[in-house]
Amino acid sequence: MEKKEQLYEGKAKKVYATDDQNLVIVSYKDDATAFNGLKKGTIEGKGVINNKMSNFLMQILEKEGVKTHFVEELSERETLVKKVKILPLEVIIRNISAGSFAKHYGVQEGVVFDEPTIEFSYKNDDLGDPLLNEYHALALKLATKDEIALVKQMAFKVNEVLKEYFKKLNVTLVDFKIEFGKTAEGTIVLADEISPDTCRFWDSTTGEKLDKDRFRRDLGGVEGAYQEMMRRLMGA
Ligand code: TMP
Ligand code: ASP
């Protein structure tokens, strides 16, 4: 597979064309941002860890019947994925109160919900990724009714599979953000990444944070947390 011109550079990844119009190469960077790019930094080795971890988790999800963009890991930082049009909808699932949920609703972090919650935000950096509901998404033509229904079903399935998987590693999946894309044939697939950048992981015994909140909140031990998640998941 030949790597061609760069198509896009985001905050944490670059995307390159290939000689196959239906496939692109994603390259993971060590760059980290928070608060819509206001806070910037580097997490040494993050690109390698997020690439490997995301691919590992997407393969688990594929086995459980969740369609994803994953095709083949090419190197430590690069992966071949299906070319998709990303739906401009960030889908957030929560099992436990934390982050913006705790802040918005004035509750402590760590309250375990009876049922997971789902919320959407409009993927638009200029607007600061504002929260919206399904009706807003339809009004803005971000997705169709059927696509939203499918995305919701897939997101809850992702949660069930990953929650159980992480439980065995003594990791509590607190919440996460995922994105979906549409392939050339019109199939909706899980895209973007699943990593400590996009999930909250708490050690189930100690409650220690093992994700990007260590960077967002200046808790220190950022690299160590990413490495620890990698070790628990892939033994390396
Ligand atoms: P929040 O509590 O800040 O809304 O975050 C919910 C989840 O979404 C958390 O696991 C972190 C993840 N997330 C992203 O992946 N990207 C973002 O830009 C934000 C704000 C959160
Ligand atoms: N990636 C996000 C940004 O830079 C923030 C986050 O993950 O907290 O806005």
Side-chain angles (χ1 to χ4, degrees), residues 11-12 32-40 90 125 129 177 196-198 200 212-213 215-216:
K11 287 180 281 205
T33 62
F35 315 117
N36 201 18
L38 233 57
K39 182 183 175 120
K40 290 190 175 69
E90 299 194 345
D125 281 342
D129 298 341
K177 182 270 295 177
D197 274 19
T198 62
R200 284 196 174 91
K212 195 177 166 191
D213 269 351
F215 169 80
R216 296 188 188 98

Side-chain angles (χ1 to χ4, degrees), residues 131-196:
L131 275 174
L132 42 65
N133 68 30
E134 290 176 50
Y135 295 90
H136 299 141
L138 280 175
L140 293 167
K141 298 196 171 15
L142 306 184
T144 67
K145 240 182 196 173
D146 287 350
E147 286 168 353
I148 293 173
L150 181 60
V151 154
K152 277 167 65 174
Q153 192 194 335
M154 288 173 79
F156 282 121
K157 172 84 181 185
V158 168
N159 185 47
E160 288 314 310
V161 172
L162 295 187
K163 206 171 54 175
E164 288 313 305
Y165 198 87
F166 282 113
K167 194 186 276 179
K168 293 183 202 136
L169 309 175
N170 206 41
V171 169
T172 303
L173 178 62
V174 175
D175 57 32
F176 61 88
K177 182 270 295 177
I178 48 180
E179 297 181 20
F180 294 87
K182 201 194 265 196
T183 65
E185 311 101 76
T187 308
I188 299 286
V189 298
L190 180 63
D192 191 50
E193 67 179 275
I194 307 174
S195 71

Side-chain angles (χ1 to χ4, degrees), residues 91-95 116-119 155-156 159 174-177:
V91 183
I92 298 134
I93 297 271
R94 302 178 192 270
N95 296 304
T117 67
I118 189 163
E119 70 208 42
F156 282 121
N159 185 47
V174 175
D175 57 32
F176 61 88
K177 182 270 295 177

Side-chain angles (χ1 to χ4, degrees), residues 50-61:
N50 286 8
N51 181 39
K52 290 184 181 172
M53 200 186 285
S54 191
N55 292 341
F56 184 82
L57 294 172
M58 293 237 182
Q59 287 173 87
I60 289 170
L61 288 164

